[in-house]
Amino acid sequence: MKQLFTILFILCVCAANAQTRRSMSAKPGEPSIFDKMVDNAQWLCVYDDIAWQMGNLAGSLSNTEAEKIGREWFVYKDVDSLWHAAFGRFKEGKYNLAQHYVQDEDGNIDVVCASPDSAMLVSFSKSINAAYDHAGKQLGKSYIRFNKFLRRNADSTISVWLLPAIQPGDLAVYGAEFFYQFDAHGNELVKSNEYYKGSCKGFKIGKMRDVHLDYIDLPDVTFGSIFFAWRHRNQFSAIYINTSKGSTSLTFNQQKGYYWVNGPVKLPPPTF
């Protein structure tokens, strides 16, 4: 069970805060690319919270039930606008459900006897497995543990993000991020965005300090860097994302809350 739930996500409270956002190219009248990345990062934090809570409940299942759960478990918001979680395993074209949870409007989580839509279970499972397969081709042999996030889009396509989890030893890492968008059935890859340069870097959580993410090889911030900053904003005093064009930082004060600032590249202090 411990190995199964290494993909669970740390609790991340995503309250809206005043922000100064970096302007990246977008069509007139539409949110900037940066705005979209921030919004998606905040949504993933909500997913994060739900997966953590429901994963804790699934962690109390008997060994017999736990053996029925594979990497194809996921959480989702259903047509009832409530968060659900499906724990099971996809095998031979069929999803074998071990447990189904739902969180009500008061935040209480209960077991649901009715099985989720079978077509949804299959399409999400195919998307999960395909995403891991695609990312694996880039990663090769890697010991980095990843979290997965899924979302059904308005056009019925399925988005999957694979982002580094907290590693053993409370290490927050960055430098590997994978996004895939599949058709409604999880059969065809529609869009992808991958970033990996052969290794990851990281910082140990537990000491409040400024940290610097090195993306000097890129002209702009990546979604993974924005997510890292938002997810770990409570663990570090300031987070700087350094690119070839400048530095984007997430910082906090009592008046503004969390907000984004742009400026020249801010290099970390020298070490002796």
Side-chain angles (χ1 to χ4, degrees), residues 76 78 84-87 97-102 110-116:
Y76 62 99
D78 209 352
H84 293 245
F87 288 88
L97 185 70
Q99 197 69 277
H100 177 198
Y101 296 108
V102 64
D110 295 309
V111 175
V112 182
C113 295
S115 177

Side-chain angles (χ1 to χ4, degrees), residues 9-270:
F9 319 114
I10 64 170
L11 181 63
C12 183
V13 180
C14 294
N17 292 287
Q19 298 169 8
T20 303
R21 298 184 175 181
R22 181 173 183 172
S23 177
M24 295 172 68
S25 59
K27 295 179 180 179
E30 291 187 0
S32 70
I33 296 173
F34 185 82
D35 282 353
K36 292 178 181 178
M37 288 197 294
V38 171
D39 290 341
N40 281 334
Q42 292 177 342
W43 187 87
L44 262 60
C45 282
V46 176
Y47 188 111
D48 210 354
D49 185 11
I50 300 298
W52 176 265
Q53 295 177 54
M54 295 192 176
N56 277 343
L57 290 179
S60 64
L61 294 174
S62 67
N63 290 336
T64 300
E65 291 299 308
E67 289 174 356
K68 300 178 182 178
I69 302 174
R71 69 181 181 182
E72 299 90 0
W73 75 270
F74 57 90
V75 303
Y76 62 99
K77 183 171 282 190
D78 209 352
V79 293
D80 56 11
S81 296
L82 300 177
W83 283 98
H84 293 245
F87 288 88
R89 186 185 298 273
F90 183 67
K91 187 176 181 180
E92 297 178 351
K94 181 181 179 182
Y95 194 91
N96 298 301
L97 185 70
Q99 197 69 277
H100 177 198
Y101 296 108
V102 64
Q103 183 183 62
D104 65 24
E105 295 176 351
D106 296 322
N108 302 310
I109 299 175
D110 295 309
V111 175
V112 182
C113 295
S115 177
D117 176 67
S118 59
M120 183 267 294
L121 293 173
V122 170
S123 62
F124 272 38
S125 295
K126 287 182 177 179
S127 298
I128 291 169
N129 287 329
Y132 276 111
D133 289 344
H134 285 294
K137 295 175 183 177
Q138 297 291 322
L139 287 166
K141 186 177 182 180
S142 174
Y143 296 98
I144 298 297
R145 299 177 180 180
F146 285 83
N147 295 333
K148 67 175 182 296
F149 305 83
L150 287 86
R151 182 170 64 191
R152 176 79 73 178
N153 302 310
D155 61 359
S156 295
T157 59
I158 302 167
S159 291
V160 183
W161 292 264
L162 298 178
L163 299 167
I166 300 296
Q167 306 300 305
D170 289 333
L171 189 66
V173 303
Y174 71 95
E177 55 187 87
F178 304 93
F179 168 79
Y180 304 101
Q181 186 175 339
F182 299 93
D183 69 1
H185 305 291
N187 294 324
E188 181 181 348
L189 180 64
V190 176
K191 185 187 302 182
S192 66
N193 190 4
E194 302 169 323
Y195 178 84
Y196 183 60
K197 296 299 180 181
S199 63
C200 292
K201 300 177 182 179
F203 310 95
K204 188 173 178 61
I205 295 173
K207 180 182 178 182
M208 290 296 289
R209 64 197 188 282
D210 293 357
V211 296
H212 301 257
L213 310 187
D214 181 5
Y215 287 89
I216 297 297
D217 59 314
L218 298 177
D220 290 305
V221 298
T222 68
F223 176 74
S225 65
I226 293 297
F227 176 75
F228 180 99
W230 191 255
R231 180 185 187 189
H232 298 297
R233 66 193 186 280
N234 296 319
Q235 276 106 20
F236 303 110
S237 51
I239 300 172
Y240 296 91
I241 307 168
N242 294 324
T243 69
S244 62
K245 288 185 177 180
S247 180
T248 297
S249 63
L250 179 63
T251 189
F252 175 86
N253 66 37
Q254 294 295 334
Q255 289 73 38
K256 295 183 178 180
Y258 287 99
Y259 63 100
W260 300 92
V261 177
N262 304 300
V265 173
K266 185 176 177 61
L267 297 176

